[in-house]
Amino acid sequence: MKDTFKHQGLRNRLIQVLQEKGVTDHAVLSAIKEIPRHLYMDPSFEQYAYQDVAFPIAAEQTISQPYTVGFQSQLLEIKPGEKVLEIGTGSGYQTSVLIRLGAVVYTIERQQELYKKTQLLLPKLGYKPKYMYFGDGYKGLPQFAPFDKIIVTCGAPIIPRALLAQLKIGGRMVIPVGDAQQMMTLITRNSAKEFDKQIIEECAFVPMLTDKSLKSFS
Ligand code: SAH
């Protein structure tokens, strides 16, 4: 599949929709405008690629809604060169937006089928994360911490302590917290022990699969 003028035109329309919904960050909008979202989806769903909806990918997972990708990216306030940890690589679309924003991305996926598929796809599209891991996002990547920013792209029943510990002081984490429905939550780390929690709006993600031995933060 190619990226045609028609696709580019559809992306321009999508950008307008996202602006109306509140995604206003210029760098984020331009990343979404440049990245051919249809190439991250099954070709038979191409016609849905530029509608503002989430869509099935593989292993019963979804590619996030463009608004969600834009909104989470905007909340992160990424500056070029920042180290970003992403939980839930999925199709790699959000990963690509982060890379386009200049982030150095470390990403974790726990569905092997998706991990393998996306590992092959991303370099072909010209987006190379610094590290891609097949593993459990609840644990994060302590060996590469601290991270300037952390983004969780699945609905987390709790805020994993391991991820808080891996956030740099002054860093931001964006995470949907809850079960069937979640609240988009922005966490800022003020000091070694002090975190600020801001609940932004309701959202709906596929669940972050749990590990029973977790400790929570509220
Ligand atoms: N950002 C992705 C969203 C994919 S949906 C995209 O736009 O395509 C969320 C992803 O989180 C799924 O691929 C799911 O398998 C993954 N996931 C769920 N629980 C996880 C966990 N504990 N660790 C890592 N990834 C997880």
Side-chain angles (χ1 to χ4, degrees), residues 5 15 25-26 33 35 48 61 67 80 90 99 105 109 114 123 125 167 173 176 182 189 195 200-201 205 207 209:
F5 283 124
I15 292 299
D25 185 295
H26 184 73
K33 194 167 155 176
I35 300 174
Y48 300 104
Q61 303 304 321
Y67 165 73
I99 294 170
V105 180
E109 172 57 53
L114 277 172
L125 298 178
L167 190 62
M173 168 153 80
Q182 304 95 29
R189 185 170 197 170
F195 295 85
I200 316 248
E201 64 181 27
F205 283 77
L209 303 172

Side-chain angles (χ1 to χ4, degrees), residues 136-189:
D136 182 7
Y138 277 100
K139 300 193 174 101
L141 290 172
Q143 66 273 42
F144 297 111
F147 296 95
D148 296 293
K149 308 282 159 74
I150 299 179
I151 175 172
V152 179
T153 73
C154 35
I158 53 138
I159 302 171
R161 277 197 183 275
L163 298 186
L164 290 171
Q166 291 169 36
L167 190 62
K168 199 180 260 183
I169 293 172
R172 291 160 89 84
M173 168 153 80
V174 177
I175 176 169
V177 185
D179 295 316
Q181 279 274 330
Q182 304 95 29
M183 296 305 286
M184 188 65 81
T185 306
L186 171 66
I187 291 167
T188 24
R189 185 170 197 170

Side-chain angles (χ1 to χ4, degrees), residues 61-64 88 90-91 109-111 114 136-137 153 208-209:
Q61 303 304 321
T62 56
I63 178 169
S64 299
S91 67
E109 172 57 53
R110 70 168 284 166
Q111 298 282 353
L114 277 172
D136 182 7
T153 73
M208 182 171 184
L209 303 172

Side-chain angles (χ1 to χ4, degrees), residues 17-25 67 71 74:
V17 171
L18 300 189
Q19 276 175 313
E20 281 159 21
K21 291 185 177 177
V23 180
T24 51
D25 185 295
Y67 165 73
F71 190 59
Q74 175 168 291

